[in-house]
Amino acid sequence: MSACCTPGRPRGAGTGFAPVDLLPVPAIRPPAAHPPLVELPGGTFRMGDAFDEGYRADREGPVREVEVAPFALSATAVTNDEYAAFVSATGHRTDAERFGSSFVFHLRLHPDAHRHVLGTVQQAPWWLGVEGASWRAPEGPGSDLDGRGDHPVTHVSHHDALAYCAWAGLRLPTEAEWEYAARGGLAGARYPWGDDLTPDGREMCNTWQGTFPHRSDRPGGATGTVPVTAYEPNGYGLLNMAGNVWEWTADAWGPAERVIRGGSYLCHASYCNRYRVAARSHNTPDSSTAHGGFRCARDARPAAPTPTTEVPV
């Protein structure tokens, strides 16, 4: 099930690709602003899938008590504008740029990028390997970031996320920190806001609507990222901890991969319900996709000393 969510970089020329029919690209929503890091108190919480809804291979259970020290987490995923500032300051080249390609969802491919398609992932033909796709050109050559400065940066590998964090004086959250934060103080809930996906009919996160992977029922057929401040925050003031983009964590998944959390705009109950707070997946640290980003964390700041008043003698 992992490839449907997170295609990894193929090893060797043409490996893992097969031909596919290409479809047009839809519209994008407008941008918004970016909040700062949120201080979280930490503590003990119950981590894992309390509903037995996860995939066995994902090892979401058993539910267990985990203690998390106080820390801070970005209220949102890192945006295109923030990543652009990092690249401007450091000259960093992402893995997608160095390798020369990245993965694009077939409905998002830019019309000018059709001739740059290298092929598809055999287990998940909706994923296209596209020459020239990167964080600067998320839908392949011909696309850009116009109007998407406050959307989450995508096509960033684990290596690229670590480089940004080092520049910013931050780090990636651990998997336990990520889940603790995503729960927003709700014990054992399915989502960051509770147990119902659409309480009172309200859409709470950016996930797939329609028949995956061929038809989106969103207005105008749009599918893709939305601004990092879209939707309501959870109880800790954190936004989009479910859906929009997968987020890298600091933790390893076996010897060669890293854990990702949160699901993305491509998740749907019909095939991948990994937008739950307990859900987890993985990818190799050099892989990048059009639905993969990250947010930053840091250790809690030391408490300021309590001022004392000297009494005259």
Side-chain angles (χ1 to χ4, degrees), residues 190-214:
R190 183 178 281 115
Y191 306 113
W193 54 86
D195 290 336
D196 296 329
L197 181 60
T198 55
D200 299 322
R202 289 178 296 138
E203 183 179 86
M204 302 296 289
C205 63
N206 180 24
T207 55
W208 183 270
Q209 293 183 13
T211 304
F212 187 87
H214 301 297

Side-chain angles (χ1 to χ4, degrees), residues 78 86 90 161-171 294 296-298:
V78 172
F86 156 64
T90 65
L162 290 178
Y164 177 95
C165 288
W167 171 75
L170 303 170
R171 59 175 173 81
F294 69 102
C296 300
R298 64 163 165 74

Side-chain angles (χ1 to χ4, degrees), residues 49-208:
D49 173 22
F51 299 89
D52 195 26
E53 295 173 330
Y55 301 104
R56 296 298 181 195
D58 288 352
R59 306 192 301 272
E60 293 181 24
V63 176
R64 64 276 188 199
E65 286 196 350
V66 174
E67 186 172 358
V68 174
F71 69 105
L73 186 70
S74 173
T76 72
V78 172
T79 67
N80 286 314
D81 279 350
E82 290 168 335
Y83 207 79
F86 156 64
V87 170
S88 177
T90 65
H92 178 80
R93 293 184 68 225
T94 61
D95 278 340
E97 290 169 305
R98 293 191 306 105
F99 285 116
S101 66
S102 190
F103 289 98
V104 177
F105 183 64
H106 72 123
L107 295 184
R108 296 295 302 157
L109 185 69
H110 192 277
D112 293 344
H114 285 206
R115 63 190 177 90
H116 297 279
V117 173
L118 302 173
T120 71
V121 177
Q122 290 181 345
Q123 326 80 300
W126 47 88
W127 280 115
L128 310 177
V130 180
E131 184 180 20
S134 72
W135 75 275
R136 302 175 189 271
E139 291 82 48
S143 64
D144 56 37
L145 300 176
D146 187 30
R148 288 185 280 179
D150 62 348
H151 285 229
V153 66
T154 58
H155 296 285
V156 285
S157 68
H158 194 266
H159 300 149
D160 301 324
L162 290 178
Y164 177 95
C165 288
W167 171 75
L170 303 170
R171 59 175 173 81
L172 290 176
T174 67
E175 185 178 8
E177 287 174 336
W178 192 98
E179 184 169 327
Y180 165 87
R183 291 187 175 279
L186 298 179
R190 183 178 281 115
Y191 306 113
W193 54 86
D195 290 336
D196 296 329
L197 181 60
T198 55
D200 299 322
R202 289 178 296 138
E203 183 179 86
M204 302 296 289
C205 63
N206 180 24
T207 55
W208 183 270

